[in-house]
């Protein structure tokens, strides 16, 4: 019982932090109708800037916190100015992807500046513990709770009683009408982003105090949990964000106490998914969510749920350029001759990764582009396939036919199950659901040690043997090159056949207008699940091949970075355009091989590419289909 | 023998405290055209949402040819032969005109005569391998789609490779109706089909519906329409809704000239002249 009470108190403290992050999401969403994916990055920067002010300039904690809050607030303003304002009138998905790109750039820059390792955050407060009855609470918890609560109250007062607060609320209600009344809505957007930055920084510092460490990868999990909290509360409501944050904090603290600390995050993300499943509009309910992303255009002059539609209802019509299914076969045959001419293991190896990522990018493009459920979690499916091969190949001595078949079938199954909570979602919320799926996948790979061997990974995966080819063994790089190329071409041909068939037409119809598709008599859910099954099968095949090529499977191959990378490939190629996805997947995967020495700049380059593409050609290089 | 037609019995739908539809009963037999008229907020569109399964009734029952449908999903209801259009046309903007109509015939492609759906594996194999039986089904559906597009003369057919978003407002309406007709529905629910159309286009639409009545004598048509001059020409019966209730149900001339109807529309009775178009959309 004491433990239980202590956990509740502890949960209230961390929950207050989630509430602050959630408030950052809610403010920006309320005023600008954007889910700011970079909120987590601002949060991380807040923690690191305070850390540097203390560790490098020896400022006292309060001064360091103040400096950090000011700097991050300014960065929040810049974020709006650089990444979002130019995209007004762009496709609905563009601002979301833009903040995703910014977040990638900030996270990677932090790894370069502060190293990827976690740094100890100085414990500024004594380890005093207070007892309430038999339950205990530390001074740090109390301070965190007090600061968080004070910030929440201050924000509420500001929003409720000041002129600026009223103008913010007016802009949130109806930006066009507010502008008509003389409110400078652009300035309001800026204020919202500035405040979100300040809240992000403050929550980052509080988390640093709570865990007494800072690490560059902290942005995404905490950002996602803050979003989960905001969603719990209905996303556009301040009391909702606070209630959501506290509930999430308590839930996850209890879970980590009674189930195990390594499941803390997995449980938080599972909660998020469950929430999306049962009450996608949040506990306090907000119809505003319906207006998000795709569905935003559903009320317009030309109703659509497409992510590529924009508020002007006009999609820039770029004629998509793509190969027919047999075209992939021809290109594949051409590539098959390469090892006859080139013997460099290094080049062949790079090309192999190019093929695998071409397939993975097509798999992502299928759900993100054809069906319109943006996937930021494909690394999880990729990982399931890889682990299936890794686990089965040596101990069970299975041939590659068998292991790959299991990888394909298992991943398809996992993808279908993962898609169930996403069925009712469109636009940004669906994207965040896939992000949660990706995170859960990674955490399972990392923590289910008895099966995946955890951070160690699975080593010494044997060379593939194909029974179907009379037990042929693929041991040399050239042999593996042909094996991978063969399977990838088969996968691409099947994918292209699908998307060019009536089934692909139905997928696009669902993307364009889910309601109309269903009212036309189409079993929409069934087609979405079919898309996830096919996409999962392709990702599983890519993962299985990856395992055979690497001969090692470990969790760090399947992080959210990988998911963002393959999504970037799919967007750059033109969403739903498999030729585009394959080309950009291939190109972006072999690019770093020629940029050796710049390895740590890789994600920054991808982020910049994505930003540039959104500005210049949101339909992708070869045109969305 | 099951009762034929769409039978709506005592159906209500409440939004918060507002009774949008309040105990409405009506029937639509095959072959007849019924118009629903009424002032804004009378519950006309909500009624279509309920019949088509896009929204759920709070109480009451709806049967289509004897099958109870008020708890079925909208796709099931559509496959029972109920096609509906939307107040703002919904045309799958990025799809070409041709693809957009083919979406309408797709349910017929995957439905067995028994009404059950072909399983996804068979569907995949058929679609991927282009097997004979599948190709024959596709050909038949494509013929239906082509015929539906050609109903509109040279309005849609020459534009079949253009994306739907490039169409004019009136053509989007036509495309939506073509998509419905391609599926050969037994019942058509049209939600303000002439909204946003100019007089010439409205005239054309009136002729289209009259032609439909001739070419598809077995199709029941339920149409929500503000242009009463059009209603008088196409409808066998008129149901007047006001504040969620059926005010009157009668032949067009009787219903539309009824004093209570005039009052519901205009607020106070006018003597002598019957009124014409209450709303020019």
């Amino acid at each position: 019982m004491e433990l239980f009470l202590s956990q509740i108190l502890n949960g209230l403290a961390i929950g207050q932090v989630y509430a602050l992050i959630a408030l950052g999401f809610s403010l920006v969403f309320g005023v600008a109708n954007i889910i700011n994916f970079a909120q987590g990055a601002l949060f991380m920067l807040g923690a690191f800037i305070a850390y540097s002010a203390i560790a490098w300039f020896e400022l006292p904690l309060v001064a360091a916190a103040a400096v950090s809050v000011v700097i991050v607030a300014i960065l929040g303003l810049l974020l709006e100015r650089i990444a979002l304002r130019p995209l007004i009138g762009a496709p609905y998905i563009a601002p979301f992807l833009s903040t995703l790109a910014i977040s990638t750039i900030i996270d990677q820059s932090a790894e370069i500046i502060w190293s990827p390792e976690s740094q100890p955050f100085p414990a500024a407060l004594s380890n005093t513990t207070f007892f309430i009855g038999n339950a205990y609470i530390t001074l740090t918890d109390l301070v965190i709770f007090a600061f968080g609560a004070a910030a929440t109250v201050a924000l509420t007062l500001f929003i409720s009683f000041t002129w600026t607060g009223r103008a913010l609320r007016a802009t949130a209600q109806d930006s066009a009408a507010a502008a008509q009344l003389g409110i400078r809505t652009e300035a309001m957007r800026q204020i919202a982003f500035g405040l979100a930055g300040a809240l992000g920084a403050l929550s980052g510092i509080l988390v640093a105090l709570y865990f007494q460490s800072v690490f560059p990868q902290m942005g995404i999990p905490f950002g996602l949990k803050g979003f989960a909290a905001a969603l719990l509360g209905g996303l556009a409501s301040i009391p909702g964000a606070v209630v959501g944050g506290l509930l999430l904090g308590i839930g996850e603290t209890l879970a980590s106490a009674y189930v195990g600390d390594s499941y803390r995050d997995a449980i938080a993300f599972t909660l998020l998914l469950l929430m999306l499943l049962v009450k996608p509009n949040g506990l306090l309910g907000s119809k505003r969510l319906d207006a998000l992303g795709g569905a935003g255009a559903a009320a317009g002059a030309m109703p659509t749920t497409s992510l590529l539609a924009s508020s002007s209802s006009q999609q820039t019509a770029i004629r998509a350029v793509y190969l027919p299914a047999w075209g992939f076969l021809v290109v594949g045959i051409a590539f098959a001759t390469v090892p006859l001419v080139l013997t460099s293991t290094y080049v062949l190896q790079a090309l192999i990764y190019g093929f695998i990522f071409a397939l993975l990018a097509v798999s992502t493009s299928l759900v993100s582009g054809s069906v319109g459920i943006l996937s930021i979690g494909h690394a999880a499916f990729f990982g399931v396939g890889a682990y299936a091969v890794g686990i089965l190949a040596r101990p069970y001595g299975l041939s590659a036919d068998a292991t790959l078949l299991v990888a394909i079938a298992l991943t398809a199954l996992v993808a279908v199950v993962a898609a169930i909570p996403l069925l009712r979602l469109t636009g940004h919320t669906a994207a965040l659901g896939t992000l949660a799926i990706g995170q859960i996948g990674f955490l399972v790979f990392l923590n289910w040690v008895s099966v995946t061997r955890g951070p160690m990974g699975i080593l010494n995966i044997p060379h593939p043997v194909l029974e179907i080819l009379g037990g042929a063994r693929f041991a040399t790089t050239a042999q593996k090159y042909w094996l991978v190329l063969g399977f990838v071409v088969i996968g691409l041909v099947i994918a292209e056949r699908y998307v060019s068939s009536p089934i692909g037409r139905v997928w696009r119809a669902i993307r364009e207008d889910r309601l109309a598709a269903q009212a036309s008599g189409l079993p929409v859910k069934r087609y979405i699940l079919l898309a996830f099954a096919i996409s999962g099968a392709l990702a599983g095949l890519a993962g299985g091949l990856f395992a055979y090529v690497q001969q090692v499977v470990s969790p760090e191959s399947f992080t959210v970075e990988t998911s963002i990378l393959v999504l970037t490939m799919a967007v750059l190629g033109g969403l739903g355009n498999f030729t585009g996805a394959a080309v950009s997947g291939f190109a972006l995967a072999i690019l770093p091989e020629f940029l050796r020495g710049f390895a740590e700049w890789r994600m920054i380059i991808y982020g910049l590419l994505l930003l540039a593409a959104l500005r210049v050609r949101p339909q992708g290089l070869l045109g969305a289909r | 023998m099951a009762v034929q037609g769409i039978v709506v019995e005592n159906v209500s739908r409440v939004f918060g405290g507002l009774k949008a539809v309040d105990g409405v009963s009506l029937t639509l037999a095959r072959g007849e055209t019924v118009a629903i008229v009424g002032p804004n907020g009378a519950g006309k569109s909500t009624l279509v949402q309920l019949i088509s399964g896009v929204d759920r009734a709070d109480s009451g029952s709806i049967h289509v040819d004897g099958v109870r449908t008020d708890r079925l999903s909208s796709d099931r209801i559509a496959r029972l032969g109920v096609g509906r259009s939307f107040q703002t046309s919904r045309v799958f903007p990025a799809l070409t005109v041709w693809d957009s109509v083919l979406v309408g015939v797709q349910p017929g492609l995957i439905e067995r005569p028994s009404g059950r759906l072909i399983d996804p594996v068979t569907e995949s194999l058929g679609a991927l391998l282009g097997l004979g039986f599948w190709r024959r089904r596709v050909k038949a559906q494509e013929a239906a789609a082509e015929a539906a597009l050609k109903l509109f003369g040279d309005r849609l057919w020459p534009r079949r490779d253009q994306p739907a978003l490039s169409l004019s407002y009136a053509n989007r309406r036509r495309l939506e109706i073509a998509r419905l007709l391609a599926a050969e529905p037994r019942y058509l629910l049209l939600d303000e089909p002439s909204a946003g159309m100019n007089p010439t286009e409205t005239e054309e639409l009136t002729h289209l519906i009259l032609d439909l009545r001739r070419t598809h004598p077995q199709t029941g048509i339920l149409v929500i329409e503000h242009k009463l001059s059009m209603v008088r020409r196409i409808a066998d019966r008129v149901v007047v809704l006001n504040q969620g209730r059926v005010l009157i149900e009668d032949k067009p001339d009787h219903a539309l000239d009824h004093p209570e109807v005039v009052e519901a529309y205009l607020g106070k009775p006018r003597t002598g002249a019957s009124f014409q178009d209450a709303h020019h959309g």
Side-chain angles (χ1 to χ4, degrees):
Chain A
M1 194 59 198
E2 290 75 38
L3 175 67
F4 181 73
L5 275 180
S6 306
Q7 293 301 339
I8 298 257
L9 291 174
N10 193 257
L12 281 175
I14 192 73
Q16 188 60 58
V17 175
Y18 293 152
L20 283 187
I21 309 176
L23 284 173
F25 276 110
S26 299
L27 264 178
V28 167
F29 174 69
V31 175
N33 257 324
I34 287 169
I35 289 179
N36 177 16
F37 190 87
Q39 186 68 23
L42 295 176
F43 158 94
M44 180 271 297
L45 275 183
F48 265 97
I49 291 172
Y51 159 79
S52 303
I54 295 171
W56 300 350
F57 302 103
E58 294 173 3
L59 290 183
L61 174 65
V62 176
V67 168
S68 164
V69 167
V70 169
I71 293 179
V72 179
I74 294 171
L75 287 173
L77 294 180
L78 280 178
L79 171 80
E80 194 273 342
R81 191 72 196 79
I82 297 170
L84 297 167
R85 190 160 321 160
L87 295 176
I88 290 175
Y92 280 108
I93 201 59
F96 180 82
L97 288 172
S98 187
T99 58
L100 183 75
I102 290 278
S103 153
T104 310
I105 294 169
I106 294 178
D107 285 0
Q108 192 63 35
S109 305
E111 290 199 13
I112 294 173
I113 298 171
W114 286 286
S115 95
E117 308 304 319
S118 105
Q119 313 282 344
F121 196 81
L125 305 161
S126 61
N127 275 327
T128 320
T129 303
F130 301 97
F131 286 88
I132 305 170
N134 284 324
Y136 59 87
I137 183 166
T138 64
L139 179 62
T140 315
D141 283 352
L142 264 184
V143 168
I144 289 172
F145 186 78
F147 255 98
T152 311
V153 170
L155 182 70
T156 311
L157 292 177
F158 170 74
I159 295 275
S160 310
F161 296 111
T162 65
W163 193 90
T164 315
R166 204 170 295 132
L168 270 174
R169 280 184 289 141
T171 311
Q173 290 286 320
D174 187 338
S175 176
Q180 290 284 314
L181 294 172
I183 292 172
R184 290 168 52 221
T185 49
E186 286 200 343
M188 291 303 135
R189 275 170 66 105
Q190 292 232 303
I191 290 174
F193 275 91
L195 276 175
L199 287 169
L202 187 61
S203 45
I205 297 162
L206 293 179
V207 163
L209 278 173
Y210 184 85
F211 291 107
Q212 294 182 1
S213 73
V214 287
F215 51 103
Q217 306 83 9
M218 69 198 280
I220 283 178
F222 279 95
L224 198 53
K225 284 192 219 167
F227 174 75
L231 193 66
L232 265 165
L235 205 53
S237 133
I238 288 182
V242 175
V243 171
L246 294 179
L247 280 179
L248 186 66
I250 293 170
E252 126 185 342
T253 324
L254 288 178
S256 82
Y258 293 103
V259 187
D261 201 39
S262 54
Y263 289 96
R264 186 183 190 119
D265 286 4
I267 284 166
F269 298 136
T270 310
L271 266 178
L272 171 62
L273 277 181
L274 284 177
M275 196 58 209
L276 291 173
L277 182 62
V278 288
K279 247 184 135 38
N281 286 334
L283 287 177
L284 304 184
S286 162
K287 284 276 173 203
R288 292 272 311 270
L289 260 181
D290 292 342
L292 248 194
M302 186 179 294
T304 175
T305 45
S306 169
L307 294 167
L308 289 171
S310 68
S311 54
S312 61
S313 282
Q314 289 301 322
Q315 304 173 3
T316 19
I318 295 175
R319 199 143 192 99
V321 181
Y322 53 90
L323 290 175
W326 57 263
F328 287 97
L329 207 59
V330 173
V331 173
I333 291 167
F335 266 113
T337 61
V338 169
L340 305 177
V341 190
L342 267 174
T343 46
S344 157
T345 317
Y346 175 67
V347 172
L348 290 184
Q349 195 79 22
L351 292 179
I352 291 176
Y353 287 122
F355 299 146
I356 290 174
F357 275 86
L359 185 61
L360 194 56
V362 166
S363 157
T364 309
S365 195
L366 199 162
V367 284
S368 305
S370 304
V371 188
I373 296 178
L374 202 72
S375 171
I376 323 177
H378 251 62
F381 304 147
F382 186 45
V384 170
Y387 272 100
V389 166
I391 290 163
L392 293 176
R394 186 170 293 278
Y396 299 92
L398 291 178
S399 70
D401 332 45
T403 57
L404 287 175
L405 206 61
V406 172
I408 290 168
L410 181 68
T411 315
L413 182 69
V414 168
V416 166
V417 172
I420 291 171
L422 305 176
L423 281 175
R424 285 162 62 190
L425 308 176
T426 54
H428 299 191
T429 34
L432 284 154
T434 61
L435 182 62
I437 288 166
Q439 287 287 308
I440 291 171
F442 172 70
L443 291 168
V444 168
F445 301 146
L446 190 65
N447 292 321
W448 197 11
V449 178
S450 59
V451 174
T452 65
R453 296 169 44 104
M456 290 277 300
I458 294 166
L459 311 175
N460 295 324
I461 296 168
H463 295 302
V465 173
L466 277 185
E467 289 300 337
I468 202 172
L469 296 181
R473 192 156 170 275
F474 297 80
T476 68
T477 308
Q479 287 165 342
K480 282 186 182 160
Y481 175 98
W482 280 312
L483 176 83
V484 171
L485 179 63
F487 276 111
V488 167
V489 166
I490 293 171
L492 293 179
V493 167
I494 291 176
E496 182 60 38
R497 287 289 290 174
Y498 255 107
V499 82
S500 305
S501 78
I503 296 173
R505 185 191 302 127
V506 173
W507 286 338
R508 289 193 295 275
I510 290 170
R511 171 191 73 198
E512 289 300 313
D513 193 334
R514 206 180 273 198
L515 177 63
Q518 182 144 18
S520 300
L522 295 170
V524 166
K525 289 180 180 173
R526 197 178 99 137
Y527 279 106
I528 295 178
L529 292 179
L530 177 64
F532 269 87
I534 308 301
S535 175
L538 297 173
L541 174 61
L545 295 170
F546 183 73
Y548 275 124
V549 173
Q550 294 259 89
Q551 297 190 288
V552 174
V553 184
S554 60
E556 76 265 10
S557 304
F558 313 109
T559 58
V560 66
E561 273 185 7
T562 308
S563 292
I564 293 174
L565 173 61
V566 291
L567 178 63
T568 304
M569 293 165 171
V571 171
L572 286 182
L575 279 171
N577 184 335
F578 292 177
T579 308
V583 168
S584 73
F586 178 77
L588 285 191
I590 61 173
L591 179 72
E593 303 299 328
F594 302 104
L595 290 176
R596 291 270 154 149
F598 297 94
E600 51 187 2
W601 292 90
R602 195 174 64 130
M603 286 309 287
I604 294 182
I605 292 170
Y606 293 154
L608 290 173
L609 270 177
L610 184 55
L611 269 186
L614 291 170
R615 285 283 285 275
V616 184
R617 209 175 157 90
Q619 301 279 331
L621 295 174
L622 299 187
R625 199 175 156 203
Chain B
M1 180 64 197
V3 185
Q4 291 293 298
I6 295 180
V7 181
V8 177
E9 277 174 304
N10 203 19
V11 159
S12 296
R13 177 72 173 106
V14 182
F15 296 114
L18 176 78
K19 284 194 168 175
V21 172
D22 186 4
V24 168
S25 299
L26 62 84
T27 58
L28 174 71
R30 298 193 62 171
E32 74 170 340
T33 299
V34 173
I36 301 183
V37 302
N40 290 330
K44 308 181 297 292
S45 285
T46 306
L47 193 59
V48 168
Q49 299 287 76
L50 298 179
I51 298 173
S52 62
V54 173
D55 194 9
R56 291 274 159 93
D58 294 313
S59 61
S61 70
I62 303 171
H63 288 82
V64 174
D65 292 344
V67 180
R68 184 158 182 177
T69 58
D70 47 288
R71 288 288 172 267
L72 296 184
S73 59
S74 59
D75 56 312
R76 287 283 305 281
I77 295 174
R79 291 198 299 274
L80 287 172
V82 182
R84 67 156 296 182
S85 72
F86 289 85
Q87 208 165 359
T88 320
S89 312
R90 307 189 76 130
V91 291
F92 309 116
L95 264 55
T96 63
V97 169
W98 180 232
D99 276 346
S100 206
V101 179
L102 286 178
V103 169
V105 296
Q106 177 77 12
L109 192 64
I110 58 169
E111 195 175 22
R112 297 180 194 280
S114 64
R116 291 172 59 98
L117 294 178
I118 291 174
D119 66 281
V121 176
T122 311
E123 185 185 356
S124 292
L125 290 177
L128 257 52
L129 303 176
L131 297 177
F133 85 98
W134 192 260
R135 221 179 293 164
R136 278 192 295 280
R137 290 182 86 109
V138 171
K139 281 269 174 287
Q141 300 299 339
E142 286 182 350
E146 182 176 338
L149 279 179
K150 285 181 170 169
L151 278 180
F152 294 84
D154 59 357
R155 298 286 195 183
L156 295 176
W157 181 246
R159 296 188 170 87
R160 61 188 178 280
D161 290 328
Q162 291 177 15
L165 60 89
S166 71
L167 295 180
S168 71
Y169 197 84
N171 273 341
R172 281 180 226 161
R173 287 228 168 271
R174 296 187 182 105
L175 173 56
E176 195 183 25
I177 295 173
R179 185 182 77 220
L180 297 179
L181 292 176
E184 290 163 5
R186 284 183 280 185
Y187 304 97
L188 265 180
L189 315 179
L190 303 176
D191 193 351
E192 290 196 41
S194 80
M197 285 188 172
N198 66 31
T200 319
E201 290 164 342
T202 306
E203 185 63 23
E204 205 178 309
L205 180 74
T206 309
H207 281 290
L208 176 80
I209 294 176
L210 290 172
D211 285 347
L212 267 182
R213 296 202 55 182
R214 210 177 50 247
T215 53
H216 297 67
Q218 286 304 305
T219 305
I221 303 175
L222 188 74
V223 56
I224 293 178
E225 191 48 70
H226 276 303
K227 290 177 182 164
L228 302 182
S229 54
M230 177 175 166
V231 169
R232 284 173 201 275
R233 287 165 66 189
I234 59 172
D236 299 312
R237 271 190 301 137
V238 171
V239 175
V240 184
L241 283 187
N242 190 30
Q243 296 181 359
R245 291 166 177 273
V246 176
L247 194 61
I248 200 161
E249 186 180 344
D250 210 333
K251 297 228 176 300
D253 286 337
H254 292 144
L256 296 178
D257 294 336
H258 195 281
E260 267 192 82
V261 176
V262 179
E263 188 180 339
Y265 259 104
L266 300 176
K268 57 178 185 183
R270 285 188 348 176
T271 46
S274 66
F275 68 110
Q276 284 300 306
D277 294 2
H279 190 287
H280 294 274

